[in-house]
Amino acid sequence: MKNASTLERRLRSNMTGDVLFGAFDRGRYATDASFYQIMPLGVVIPRTIDEALNALAIARDEGLVVTPRGGGTSQCGQTVNEGIVVDFSKHLNRVLSLDVENRTCVVEPGIVLDDLNRQLKKHGLWFPVDVSTASRATIGGMAGNNSCGGRSLRYGTMRDNTLSMDAALADGMRLHFGEVPRDLARVNSPQTGLELFRDMLDLGEREAAEISERFPKVQRRVGGYNLDALVPRNAPNNMAHLLVGSEGTLAFTTRVELKLWPVIRNKVLGVCHFGSFYEAMDAAQHLVKLRPIAVELVDRTMIALGRDIAMFQPIIATAVRGDPDAVLVVEFAEEDQAENLHRLKQLGELMADLGFGWDRPQRKWGGVVEITEPALQAGIADFRAAGLNVMMSMKQEGKPVSFVEDCAVPLPHLADYTERLNAIFAKHGTRGTMYAHASEGCLHVRPVLNLKLEKDVKAMRAIAEETFEMVREYKGSHSGEHGDGLVRSEFHEAMFGSRIVADFREVKQRFDPDNLLNPGKIVDPPNMDDRSLFRYRPDYRIGGLKTVLDWSAYPGAGGGFQGAVEMCNNNGACRKLEGGVMCPSYRATRNEKDVTRGRANTLRLAISGQIGPDALASDEMMDTLKLCVSCKACRHECPTGVDMAKMKIEVLAARAEKHGLSLRDRLVGYLPHYAELASRFAPLANWRNNNPLLRALFEKFAGISAKRALPAFRRDVFKADAEVFGPADGREVVLFADTFNRIYERENLDAALRVLLEGGYRVHIPRPVGRDRPLCCGRTFLSAGLVEQARRELDRLVATYAPFAARGVPIVGLEPSCLLTLRDELLSLRSDNDARSVSAHALLFEEFLVREAEAGRLKLPLGAIQAQALVHGHCHQKSFGAFKPVEKVLRLIPDLGVETIESSCCGMAGAFGYGADTYQASMEMAELSLLPAVRRADAATLIVADGTSCRHQIKDGSERPALHVARVLAMSLDRATTNSLPSPATKETIHG
């Protein structure tokens, strides 16, 4: 093989896509959602199929192995290898054709399942292999693993829904794999393809008896190659079904033809509760007789973990009754909703016939909670789909480990299997988590182990051997959904016998004689417990790690920073393209570097010394985090709680200590210190905005984009002329006048003060303790890595507000990023009682008003204004579950229609959008959904956004002004006064 630099140049000269050979980039592709890690030589991200095949040809010429990769969410190590990794997910993601009448489509392998289904939905169709990773799993990857999904009881597996595939062999020969007659008559294929098909059909005929004897008779059998697709009884034989489940070891998929189904229009759920896990498993075989489309298990551990995850708390509170040992979520989805309701009734009757009741002793305690509301059904589906990540949210060294993850056994044996499995876990000193597909006898089972410890690695090996032996005893399958990869391929001989394994080897040799395509999977694998292939190898160490924030909730070095970083299990929920906020930079660039998972992997490699010395403060690390807008969406939406915004502060602090500050960092960080002075000389301070030369100089020397106007300073900044306003007997509230609204948009503070006074509140705006300079949350300092300066600002704030918090006075703020700093970073810098008290009493303006209204204490005379308001939520509001109050408060205004923009980050994100090097990414984020929605809005529609950055981005990108909710309420008060038609906000109207 030629050296890497020569190979890199050769690849670059043959494609327009990305060619990545740097250590940081290669490290981001060294792992998937398994516990393995193999550093590739390089990564290629082709723009076209031809470019992908060029990469294959060059790698073949250089004697390098090639591994195709989609979302990188494989749990068994399928998508990690040496040589070249080819990432199909960024560009090769089109629907090539759609036949609505015949319910088929042809797609490129890199298309994500959810993206495909969004395009199909308008035609009343969907692809129903609904894996839990649907927001990031690609069709190519699903074909490679023969994915199944939760509704395979009705729709079957990936194999059942794949009509044909186009693929290239390792030697570059492109073939069409589809249905063929046994005699291959009239098959349109080159001679090489016909000879290959003939050899495969001959193998199927020769081994038909052995295949029938050794292949498990369960639907969830996805291990090995699908030799049963080649036997005469399946004639005409579909050659694509041999590629399905082959894990990229046989051919390079270029397009896939899929069978489509009508979308589900009506459904109901029955959440069956059980006081005994064994009884739940035993009941599954009876529940499927009602012909549901799915029966999904959620066990006690998953329920308990879900109750600690903010986004799932309300769902569990509504759907789960009491303290069950397990629940089975039974789904009916017939076209006729009356039939669904009838079966739901039958489900309750069946549970009673099986002896379950809410008043029975624990072993037979249980019953059915009926779920007919679509929104709650969707929430339950999201919770179940997040099962893996929920299980991985344990903040401890030991984590649920995937290796006996998805064994499948016949349903009559499921209860005994799980009971014996728990005994195996206990024998080896651990316990397991279980969830997922009870309808198919395929549970996602994960014993809790710490694979950094040799003893736990040995326990894993022993558990695997004993579990697989038991599965074979029940005539089940080692792999029921997630394939073989590096985890299970080793055990094929015990599962299928030496003769079938020799057949697997013959297939691999016939397709790929030089063993170039993803070797080590299915055929000739390494030992599953080869620690040299682990993410945490025997020499994995974290050296002396200095951190500036409190990470004590996690284990490991750096006061727990190591454990926080290692919470990322690579499952890739951050790669979703729609819904929620996470991860806005990835949505704009589609680069692994710019997604939470990629950043967390880079941090782990950096602190463990795997990508060079002092990597944490390096330019490459800064480049990795450059497009992180600190939106905090991952804090809320990552089910394992990876908080990249907080982790970025550690990197910025390390970099500031090593390299010092840039001029831009100083201008942004120290804004609260010079803002007062700048306001006194506002015309001079604003001169840059109106002078093209100054704009150009600011871009060159301070890195501030010349395309942006900076927020304008003003002389009439907000200054309270007293420390307390309102009636002496009014309910007390502190109003936090943050730097941004105080200096740039005092109208918001004026409006908020007016609203509170009109509501009869006694409003405190206390002078800072110790110094005259106004209070600040320290947010700008944190954004520059100046943690000690931020701590000093927060110390002043706590000293000023603690006496009010001590007597229960709410501390209300307008700017989400500032106020919510008191609920987040403050507690990472201080853990004393005063800090905790201030944090506990910090509320956004809308949160306070909603709380008051729900308690019946809010009396505001509001009048009708515009007919419609279009609302964009600040990322931090969404991260802290504080956005719904915005909608509720606006609905207090008579006759105002409130529509929320389904948007991710606006892209401005504090100073991010002003950077010369981040301006373009900022606008791309805004153009994903926010700016198009604003432009579509009628001119009379109010545009509402609480965030200072959000309002500026909307103005810059659409030339439409956006208002803080406080100003909208003040407008409503004005209208009520003008019309003399007060409309008091009451507890009843807050829920309207």
Side-chain angles (χ1 to χ4, degrees):
M1 188 198 77
K2 299 174 183 176
N3 63 49
S5 60
T6 301
L7 173 65
E8 182 180 0
R9 285 195 297 272
R10 189 175 174 191
L11 286 166
R12 288 187 187 280
S13 66
N14 279 274
M15 62 183 57
T16 60
D18 297 328
V19 176
L20 309 174
F21 271 68
F24 281 66
D25 285 311
R26 293 187 296 116
R28 286 186 275 268
Y29 282 85
T31 51
D32 54 15
S34 70
F35 54 82
Y36 295 106
Q37 175 177 300
I38 302 175
M39 192 71 75
L41 181 65
V43 178
V44 171
I45 305 176
R47 289 184 177 273
T48 66
I49 290 294
D50 285 341
E51 286 191 355
L53 297 182
N54 283 342
L56 173 62
I58 293 169
R60 181 177 66 247
D61 186 50
E62 298 282 353
L64 293 173
V65 303
V66 178
T67 298
R69 178 172 167 127
T73 60
S74 300
Q75 294 179 35
C76 303
Q78 285 95 333
T79 60
V80 294
N81 221 320
E82 300 170 342
I84 301 299
V85 171
V86 180
D87 182 350
F88 284 80
S89 65
K90 182 174 180 178
H91 298 297
L92 304 178
N93 48 29
R94 297 175 298 161
V95 175
L96 299 173
S97 66
L98 171 63
D99 185 338
V100 174
E101 183 178 355
N102 292 307
R103 297 179 186 168
T104 67
C105 70
V106 178
V107 301
E108 290 182 317
I111 192 168
V112 169
L113 176 59
D114 272 357
D115 192 26
L116 170 62
N117 278 330
R118 277 190 288 269
Q119 296 182 55
L120 295 175
K121 186 176 181 180
K122 59 188 176 186
H123 302 287
L125 299 172
W126 76 313
F127 187 67
V129 185
D130 56 336
V131 294
S132 62
T133 53
S135 64
R136 59 270 194 200
T138 63
I139 292 297
M142 291 170 62
N145 284 357
N146 193 9
S147 296
C148 300
R151 296 183 174 96
S152 62
L153 189 65
R154 168 70 56 88
Y155 298 108
T157 67
M158 190 74 190
R159 171 180 169 179
D160 299 316
N161 291 280
T162 299
L163 299 175
S164 71
M165 299 172 71
D166 287 358
L169 303 183
D171 63 6
M173 172 66 70
R174 300 176 75 158
L175 298 174
H176 177 74
F177 293 80
E179 201 169 79
V180 298
R182 296 292 299 182
D183 62 4
L184 298 179
R186 294 180 299 281
V187 173
N188 184 19
S189 182
Q191 187 61 33
T192 300
L194 293 174
E195 291 172 358
L196 176 65
F197 297 161
R198 179 76 277 152
D199 289 347
M200 293 300 99
L201 293 174
D202 287 349
L203 184 151
E205 186 168 1
R206 182 187 80 219
E207 299 295 336
E210 186 75 2
I211 292 167
S212 178
E213 173 68 22
R214 298 307 301 251
F215 274 46
K217 307 298 190 295
V218 292
Q219 185 194 46
R220 292 298 192 105
R221 195 281 307 159
V222 303
Y225 294 129
N226 290 324
L227 302 185
D228 56 330
L230 304 173
V231 300
R233 63 180 170 82
N234 283 334
N237 302 87
N238 194 324
M239 303 307 296
H241 293 175
L242 184 60
L243 295 187
V244 173
S246 64
E247 303 186 352
T249 63
L250 298 183
F252 224 57
T253 303
T254 59
R255 57 176 61 192
V256 187
E257 182 184 14
L258 302 172
K259 176 183 178 182
L260 307 177
W261 295 71
V263 296
I264 294 175
R265 301 189 183 280
N266 297 298
K267 65 180 176 180
V268 297
L269 302 180
V271 182
C272 299
H273 290 55
F274 298 89
S276 159
F277 185 88
Y278 182 92
E279 291 292 339
M281 297 299 92
D282 188 59
Q285 62 185 308
H286 304 292
L287 302 185
V288 297
K289 294 175 183 177
L290 295 177
R291 303 190 308 283
I293 69 169
V295 180
E296 295 287 287
L297 165 69
V298 179
D299 76 349
R300 172 185 293 277
T301 302
M302 186 170 168
I303 292 170
L305 291 170
R307 283 175 169 148
D308 288 335
I309 298 173
M311 64 189 297
F312 296 130
Q313 288 168 354
I315 296 163
I316 295 172
T318 305
V320 178
R321 177 173 171 178
D323 186 28
D325 209 28
V327 299
L328 292 177
V329 181
V330 183
E331 181 176 5
F332 300 103
E334 304 303 316
E335 186 71 20
D336 182 3
Q337 184 71 343
E339 175 61 23
N340 292 327
L341 294 171
H342 174 66
R343 293 194 195 180
L344 192 58
K345 180 182 178 183
Q346 287 182 312
L347 180 65
E349 294 168 349
L350 177 57
M351 286 286 287
D353 291 343
L354 293 173
F356 297 101
W358 298 115
D359 58 348
R360 301 296 303 275
Q362 182 173 355
R363 188 169 180 86
K364 285 293 184 178
W365 174 87
V368 181
V369 172
E370 298 182 354
I371 308 293
T372 58
E373 180 187 347
L376 184 54
Q377 291 173 0
I380 293 171
D382 289 343
F383 177 54
R384 220 304 292 149
L388 166 63
N389 284 325
V390 170
M391 293 302 189
M392 296 299 286
S393 67
M394 297 178 180
K395 295 178 180 178
Q396 60 187 48
E397 290 278 10
K399 295 286 194 298
V401 180
S402 172
F403 60 100
V404 290
E405 162 82 7
D406 58 332
C407 300
V409 299
L411 274 182
H413 301 303
L414 186 59
D416 288 339
Y417 166 69
T418 53
E419 186 170 59
R420 290 175 63 185
L421 193 57
N422 279 323
I424 291 174
F425 296 161
K427 171 185 173 182
H428 294 283
T430 188
R431 57 190 173 84
T433 62
M434 299 186 188
Y435 67 100
H437 317 304
S439 58
E440 298 280 13
C442 176
L443 302 183
H444 294 332
V445 177
R446 291 184 166 222
V448 177
L449 298 167
N450 179 6
L451 295 187
K452 296 173 186 172
L453 305 177
E454 179 65 22
K455 70 178 184 66
D456 279 21
V457 174
K458 290 180 176 178
M460 178 179 72
R461 176 84 197 192
I463 290 169
E465 291 176 349
E466 294 172 36
T467 298
F468 293 157
E469 182 180 0
M470 180 171 56
V471 169
R472 295 193 298 272
E473 176 187 332
Y474 288 127
K475 307 297 183 186
S477 171
H478 287 176
S479 180
E481 182 170 19
H482 296 149
D484 300 320
L486 296 168
V487 170
R488 280 187 285 267
S489 297
E490 176 192 352
F491 298 96
H492 281 335
E493 188 152 350
M495 179 82 239
F496 295 103
S498 58
R499 183 169 171 177
I500 292 294
V501 169
D503 293 334
F504 291 164
R505 191 172 290 112
E506 180 181 339
V507 171
K508 171 66 171 174
Q509 175 69 20
R510 186 65 182 81
F511 271 81
D512 180 22
D514 295 322
N515 201 28
L516 295 177
L517 296 177
N518 204 20
K521 322 294 162 45
I522 301 179
V523 170
D524 298 325
N527 290 341
M528 60 92 74
D529 54 341
D530 181 350
R531 293 188 71 188
S532 70
L533 304 178
F534 280 21
R535 189 181 304 183
Y536 304 118
R537 302 180 183 189
D539 61 350
Y540 181 85
R541 298 286 186 277
I542 308 296
L545 183 61
K546 177 185 175 183
T547 53
V548 294
L549 302 177
D550 179 10
W551 300 95
S552 59
Y554 302 91
F561 182 62
Q562 173 189 354
V565 170
E566 291 174 357
M567 287 299 291
C568 178
N569 65 6
N570 274 23
N571 197 249
C574 43
R575 285 173 61 101
K576 64 184 178 182
L577 300 175
E578 286 194 13
V581 179
M582 182 176 69
C583 178
S585 52
Y586 174 74
R587 294 182 184 188
T589 71
R590 304 287 184 94
N591 291 329
E592 184 70 18
K593 174 175 69 73
D594 300 319
V595 72
T596 304
R597 178 181 73 177
R599 294 170 181 137
N601 271 321
T602 309
L603 283 169
R604 177 178 53 80
L605 293 167
I607 64 177
S608 58
Q610 297 183 65
I611 47 178
D614 205 19
L616 195 65
S618 67
D619 291 344
E620 292 90 343
M621 179 59 73
M622 201 60 241
D623 185 58
T624 300
L625 289 169
K626 183 173 75 173
L627 298 190
C628 173
V629 293
S630 298
C631 64
K632 302 190 182 186
C634 49
R635 175 193 175 279
H636 177 66
E637 295 176 25
C638 171
T640 62
V642 174
D643 189 345
M644 191 51 59
K646 186 176 175 183
M647 293 175 186
K648 184 176 181 179
I649 293 172
E650 292 287 357
V651 175
L652 292 170
R655 188 167 177 82
E657 182 177 3
K658 182 175 178 62
H659 299 288
L661 297 178
S662 67
L663 176 57
R664 177 180 164 190
D665 289 335
R666 292 184 184 279
L667 287 172
V668 172
Y670 284 93
L671 172 65
H673 284 194
Y674 67 77
E676 293 292 322
L677 179 63
S679 69
R680 296 176 195 168
F681 301 95
L684 181 63
N686 296 330
W687 190 21
R688 174 262 178 203
N689 283 352
N690 302 314
N691 187 304
L693 177 60
L694 283 178
R695 284 195 181 212
L697 289 173
F698 263 70
E699 178 163 306
K700 181 176 181 179
F701 294 107
I704 296 173
S705 174
K707 297 177 181 178
R708 293 279 194 192
L710 292 171
F713 289 100
R714 54 197 293 172
R715 286 175 171 168
D716 60 332
V717 298
F718 180 86
K719 290 183 179 179
D721 53 11
E723 289 193 69
V724 62
F725 302 81
D729 60 348
R731 288 181 60 80
E732 292 183 290
V733 60
V734 170
L735 179 60
F736 173 29
D738 64 271
T739 300
F740 303 111
N741 283 301
R742 186 170 48 79
I743 295 295
Y744 299 123
E745 296 182 84
R746 69 163 295 167
E747 293 86 357
N748 298 328
L749 286 165
D750 291 334
L753 180 58
R754 181 187 170 196
V755 169
L756 293 171
L757 293 177
E758 290 272 6
Y761 294 95
R762 186 166 179 79
V763 184
H764 297 273
I765 307 179
R767 290 192 175 89
V769 171
R771 292 182 64 177
D772 291 335
R773 185 165 52 78
L775 293 176
C776 169
C777 69
R779 164 63 49 197
T780 60
F781 289 112
L782 291 173
S783 71
L786 299 172
V787 176
E788 286 309 309
Q789 289 87 335
R791 193 192 309 273
R792 288 195 287 270
E793 294 295 334
L794 285 166
D795 286 346
R796 297 172 58 237
L797 185 147
V798 170
T800 304
Y801 288 164
F804 295 94
R807 64 174 194 266
V809 178
I811 300 161
V812 175
L814 303 187
E815 172 56 38
S817 62
C818 294
L819 187 283
L820 293 171
T821 298
L822 310 186
R823 299 231 292 256
D824 190 4
E825 287 88 355
L826 170 59
L827 299 182
S828 293
L829 293 169
R830 291 181 55 164
S831 58
D832 57 284
N833 289 334
D834 282 351
R836 287 197 295 270
S837 180
V838 168
S839 179
H841 288 85
L843 293 169
L844 285 169
F845 180 67
E846 302 84 8
E847 290 182 298
F848 172 73
L849 294 180
V850 166
R851 191 177 74 174
E852 292 296 288
E854 289 179 339
R857 295 191 292 261
L858 184 63
K859 306 295 181 184
L860 287 175
L862 299 176
I865 49 175
Q866 272 93 333
Q868 192 72 20
L870 187 63
V871 189
H872 165 71
H874 189 284
C875 295
H876 293 186
Q877 286 176 318
K878 296 172 183 176
S879 175
F880 285 83
F883 178 59
K884 285 296 180 184
V886 178
E887 297 173 322
K888 289 182 177 182
V889 163
L890 288 172
R891 290 192 175 103
L892 295 175
I893 298 172
D895 304 321
L896 180 66
V898 180
E899 179 186 350
T900 297
I901 303 171
E902 291 298 325
S903 55
S904 182
C905 179
C906 74
M908 186 65 88
F912 177 86
Y914 293 100
D917 57 343
T918 52
Y919 169 79
Q920 186 59 40
S922 167
M923 297 310 299
E924 288 173 1
M925 292 180 202
E927 291 291 353
L928 289 173
S929 58
L930 172 60
L931 292 181
V934 171
R935 294 187 194 109
R936 288 193 299 267
D938 182 270
T941 297
L942 287 174
I943 309 299
V944 181
D946 275 0
T948 298
S949 298
C950 306
R951 292 191 295 274
H952 282 261
Q953 181 77 309
I954 291 169
K955 182 68 167 63
D956 284 358
S958 70
E959 299 184 351
R960 292 282 298 269
L963 300 175
H964 191 284
V965 169
R967 291 187 65 188
V968 179
L969 290 174
M971 290 166 58
S972 181
L973 289 172
D974 288 339
R975 185 60 60 88
T977 302
T978 301
N979 295 339
S980 299
L981 292 172
S983 176
T986 67
K987 183 176 180 179
E988 287 71 31
T989 60
I990 195 71
H991 297 292

